[in-house]
Amino acid sequence: NFEIVLDINVKAQTSDKTVYLAEIKQAGLFELEGGSDQLKQRFLHVNCPEAIFPYARENLSNLIQKGGFPPLFLSPIDFQTLYHQELEKRKN
């Protein structure tokens, strides 16, 4: 069993004041059986965050909107590219 947590922080500010700071943690529990370690790592670092992110994005937007501010629409994140970039960084 694995717990994957996305920790998202958003800060809106003007030149001299913080307008708001929103922080959320969106988690998911995943059970993996079989497969190589490489496949498991890819699944945990790509597929699991991809499954959780839409909920985090919606919850963050709702939180900000309920605070009286215009909703925030986060762009999708390419977790596969981020994963490959991290693997490349570790090789060097």
Side-chain angles (χ1 to χ4, degrees):
N1 291 333
F2 298 90
E3 179 182 34
I4 304 297
V5 180
L6 296 179
D7 187 359
I8 302 174
N9 303 298
V10 176
K11 183 177 183 180
Q13 60 187 47
T14 61
S15 58
D16 60 338
K17 291 184 183 179
T18 298
V19 178
Y20 65 80
L21 174 63
E23 300 179 29
I24 65 164
K25 292 183 186 221
Q26 187 75 42
L29 295 174
F30 299 89
E31 182 176 336
L32 302 178
E33 293 183 16
S36 67
D37 286 343
Q38 184 181 15
L39 183 61
K40 286 180 183 178
Q41 288 302 312
R42 186 194 175 287
F43 190 81
L44 290 170
H45 290 92
V46 177
N47 299 96
C48 295
E50 284 176 344
I52 299 169
F53 184 72
Y55 299 101
R57 186 168 68 176
E58 181 180 351
N59 287 334
L60 183 63
S61 181
N62 288 341
L63 174 68
I64 291 169
Q65 201 168 7
K66 287 179 180 180
F69 300 99
L72 174 70
F73 299 105
L74 294 177
S75 298
I77 295 174
D78 184 353
F79 289 100
Q80 183 164 323
T81 298
L82 293 174
Y83 178 62
H84 288 295
Q85 287 173 350
E86 184 63 28
L87 289 178
E88 287 299 316
K89 211 181 341 176
R90 290 180 184 186
K91 285 181 185 177
N92 298 330

